[in-house]
């Protein structure tokens, strides 16, 4: 099942023209992801933390990292490219930074005060 385009321009680009039809809402995340993907989701409030991170902003100033991210975004076979880029120290640093933000490490071996 495809999600309905959400604008007349998008319908024209999809070859649907401006034909009248039933109004459908654009895709929601729930339409795209199934229950099996539920465990891999990051809650919206945690994703917003990424935009607030100075450390992440500093990393994204690096033009090499930005090019890596654009290459992944535009790639047809993202999974094999991600495997390749996971060997790049800069990309690993970026991924680790994102993970620390959305899933902070638990404090281990902390003595009670």
């Amino acid at each position: 099942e495809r999600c309905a385009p959400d604008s007349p321009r998008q319908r024209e680009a999809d070859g649907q023209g401006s034909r009248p039809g039933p109004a459908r809402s654009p895709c929601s995340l729930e339409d795209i992801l199934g229950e099996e993907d539920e465990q891999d989701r990051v809650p919206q409030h945690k994703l917003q933390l990424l935009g607030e991170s100075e450390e992440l902003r500093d990393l994204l100033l690096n033009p090499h990292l930005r090019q890596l991210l654009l290459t992944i975004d535009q790639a047809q076979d993202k999974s094999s490219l991600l495997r390749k880029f996971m060997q790049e120290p800069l990309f690993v640093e970026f991924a680790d930074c994102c993970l620390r933000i959305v899933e902070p490490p638990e404090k281990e071996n902390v003595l009670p005060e």
Side-chain angles (χ1 to χ4, degrees), residues 1 4 7 9 12 17 19 23 34 36 43 45 47 49 57 67 72 76 79 84-85 101-104 107 111 113:
E1 176 180 334
S7 72
R9 178 181 285 158
E12 288 172 12
R19 291 177 280 154
E36 65 276 1
H45 69 277
L47 288 176
L49 296 175
R57 279 192 200 139
Q67 185 57 53
I72 292 169
Q76 294 293 322
S79 62
K84 176 184 170 189
F85 284 174
I101 294 166
V102 298
E103 205 172 273
K107 295 180 181 177
L111 296 174
E113 293 181 20

Side-chain angles (χ1 to χ4, degrees), residues 3 5 7 9 18 20 28 36 41 52-53 55 57 69 78 92-93 102-103 107 113:
C3 297
S7 72
R9 178 181 285 158
S18 57
S28 69
E36 65 276 1
R41 278 198 209 173
E52 300 167 6
S53 169
E55 180 185 6
R57 279 192 200 139
L69 295 173
K78 293 178 186 343
V92 172
E93 183 181 0
V102 298
E103 205 172 273
K107 295 180 181 177
E113 293 181 20

Side-chain angles (χ1 to χ4, degrees):
E1 176 180 334
R2 277 190 47 174
C3 297
D6 60 351
S7 72
R9 178 181 285 158
Q10 195 172 8
R11 284 193 292 271
E12 288 172 12
D14 290 343
Q16 296 177 355
S18 57
R19 291 177 280 154
R24 293 190 284 177
S25 64
C27 294
S28 69
L29 191 57
E30 289 75 23
D31 293 335
I32 297 168
L33 299 174
E35 279 186 35
E36 65 276 1
D37 299 315
E38 203 52 48
Q39 66 189 11
D40 293 332
R41 278 198 209 173
V42 176
Q44 186 67 34
H45 69 277
K46 286 192 173 191
L47 288 176
Q48 290 173 340
L49 296 175
L50 294 171
E52 300 167 6
S53 169
E54 286 295 323
E55 180 185 6
L56 185 56
R57 279 192 200 139
D58 290 344
L59 280 174
L60 289 171
L61 291 174
N62 184 314
H64 182 62
L65 176 61
R66 292 168 69 120
Q67 185 57 53
L68 289 175
L69 295 173
L70 280 172
T71 302
I72 292 169
D73 186 52
Q74 297 168 352
Q76 294 293 322
D77 185 10
K78 293 178 186 343
S79 62
S80 66
L81 194 56
L82 275 172
R83 279 192 293 275
K84 176 184 170 189
F85 284 174
M86 286 305 289
Q87 305 304 312
E88 291 269 343
L90 180 58
F91 186 80
V92 172
E93 183 181 0
F94 166 75
D96 287 345
C97 178
C98 291
L99 288 173
R100 279 192 308 272
I101 294 166
V102 298
E103 205 172 273
E106 294 181 23
K107 295 180 181 177
E108 297 178 8
N109 301 324
V110 176
L111 296 174
E113 293 181 20

